[in-house]
Amino acid sequence: MGRQDLTYAVARIRALETKMFTEEDLNRLLACPTEDDAVEMLMAKGWGNGEDAKDGETILEHELDKTWETVRSLVEDMSTLDVLSYKDLHHNIKSAMKQVASGVDAPETYIDNSFYSADELLEIIREKAWHRFPDFLQKPAADAYDMLIKTGDGQMLDVMMDRTCLESIYEAGKRSDSEIIKKYACETVGVTDIKIAIRCQRTGKSADFMETALARIPGTGVDVDKLIKAALSGEGAVIEYVEETDYHDGAQALKNSMSEFECWCDNRIIDLIKPELRNSDGIGPIFAYIYARENELKSVRNILMGKRSGLPAEEIRERVRKTYV
């Protein structure tokens, strides 16, 4: 993409950023007495699709679709944003593999905004046309599907493809010209390995299972061997290990709860990308806008769910992420 194209795209993104939620906006949403009141506030802000979207989840889905549609209209080479698309791609591949293996249709399990339609993925998997996937994905996808057919183990399919997703994100970061995307990719792999180790420890998984689940990738700030050893020793040992890493600030959040650690991870990325607000060109500001917008939607979803469940405002607030603007 030429410089002028990106300069225009960033200018358009700057205008869209002015419509994002500020901390004050989120506080007002939190102050709404009920979920219906919160939805009305969203619609008054211009969220949703008017008469066709009056429930919270439909409004959020529309906003996510709108974000990606806008970016596609601005960015000629969408491969520069692969780092944010791979999670949906791998989710859809897992869904298609399970559908083909089981013979049960499950159209509701697919996520839009992916590289392939559900029909394309089903065709690739039925025909084992792995060559239609990117080079780095062909063998891992074939191996995961062969395992599923031989064992019927859907959980292991998830584990194998989730690790492949992390490896794909890292590869997307490595080939990017954007330093912020490179950093994001490494951070995402690092904190996700920590989350996986904690879940493995809590469910009593073996070292072999963790070897399959964790991504052995240099530069993420996580030593997989030490992480596995810690997970086999207990959750406290994992937290002690985290305190020795670049993610030490998240150790206290991890002590409190996994949901608080998830929030800390998202906030750390927001802090990482905020300098892009002052960047006037390149793919960085567009990448940052998409991530920040998805983070914003996550906060709003947590508020709506909290209102629906009747949770106290302070408990809901703990699940609200930092704002980008």
Side-chain angles (χ1 to χ4, degrees), residues 30 32-36 301-317 319:
L30 270 167
C32 290
T34 68
E35 182 185 6
D36 288 343
R301 176 175 283 108
N302 286 340
I303 291 172
L304 295 181
M305 290 174 63
K307 297 290 180 185
R308 190 180 313 142
S309 302
L311 297 178
E314 285 309 309
E315 189 172 337
I316 301 172
R317 189 183 302 277
R319 306 176 186 184

Side-chain angles (χ1 to χ4, degrees), residues 99 104-111 118:
Q99 182 174 334
V104 178
D105 290 344
E108 72 281 355
T109 64
Y110 294 93
I111 299 173

Side-chain angles (χ1 to χ4, degrees), residues 171-192:
E171 288 299 322
K174 190 166 70 170
R175 67 175 178 264
S176 177
D177 293 332
S178 168
E179 285 303 314
I180 197 68
I181 290 178
K182 291 180 187 294
K183 291 178 182 177
Y184 165 81
C186 284
E187 294 257 328
T188 296
V189 175
V191 297
T192 304

Side-chain angles (χ1 to χ4, degrees), residues 107-307:
E108 72 281 355
T109 64
Y110 294 93
I111 299 173
D112 292 334
N113 304 312
S114 188
F115 297 85
Y116 307 89
S117 69
D119 287 342
E120 287 172 322
L121 284 176
L122 291 170
E123 181 180 310
I124 289 170
I125 292 161
R126 286 184 182 124
E127 297 178 1
K128 296 187 178 180
W130 310 118
H131 65 276
R132 292 172 59 181
F133 284 148
D135 290 346
F136 61 85
L137 186 52
Q138 293 171 15
K139 187 178 186 303
D143 290 345
Y145 184 65
D146 286 346
M147 181 282 305
L148 178 65
I149 294 302
K150 290 175 182 176
T151 69
D153 192 337
Q155 183 190 41
M156 185 54 66
L157 173 73
D158 290 341
V159 167
M160 293 174 70
M161 289 305 299
D162 288 349
R163 185 196 64 205
T164 299
C165 181
L166 292 178
E167 292 167 349
S168 299
I169 287 171
Y170 176 77
E171 288 299 322
K174 190 166 70 170
R175 67 175 178 264
S176 177
D177 293 332
S178 168
E179 285 303 314
I180 197 68
I181 290 178
K182 291 180 187 294
K183 291 178 182 177
Y184 165 81
C186 284
E187 294 257 328
T188 296
V189 175
V191 297
T192 304
D193 270 349
I194 293 169
K195 294 175 196 175
I196 292 170
I198 285 286
R199 294 189 183 104
C200 286
Q201 186 281 321
R202 290 179 177 177
T203 53
K205 299 301 184 186
S206 67
D208 287 344
F209 184 96
M210 286 186 267
E211 283 284 358
T212 302
L214 297 170
R216 284 186 175 276
I217 294 175
T220 66
V222 170
D223 184 316
V224 168
D225 290 324
K226 290 182 178 179
L227 187 56
I228 291 174
K229 182 178 179 181
L232 292 172
S233 298
E235 188 168 331
V238 176
I239 293 171
E240 288 179 7
Y241 170 69
V242 172
E243 288 175 335
E244 300 172 2
T245 70
D246 293 340
Y247 308 106
H248 55 84
D249 288 347
Q252 184 58 52
L254 198 51
K255 289 177 185 177
N256 296 339
S257 68
M258 181 61 84
S259 62
E260 189 168 327
F261 184 68
E262 295 266 5
C263 190
W264 177 86
C265 293
D266 289 341
N267 289 343
R268 180 180 170 96
I269 298 297
I270 288 294
D271 288 339
L272 176 70
I273 66 176
K274 271 199 173 185
E276 294 301 313
L277 286 167
R278 300 187 297 275
N279 190 358
S280 60
D281 195 12
I283 199 65
I286 301 167
F287 154 80
Y289 171 73
I290 298 171
Y291 180 87
R293 189 82 166 99
E294 291 184 344
N295 207 54
E296 176 182 61
L297 296 176
K298 190 182 297 184
S299 286
V300 172
R301 176 175 283 108
N302 286 340
I303 291 172
L304 295 181
M305 290 174 63
K307 297 290 180 185

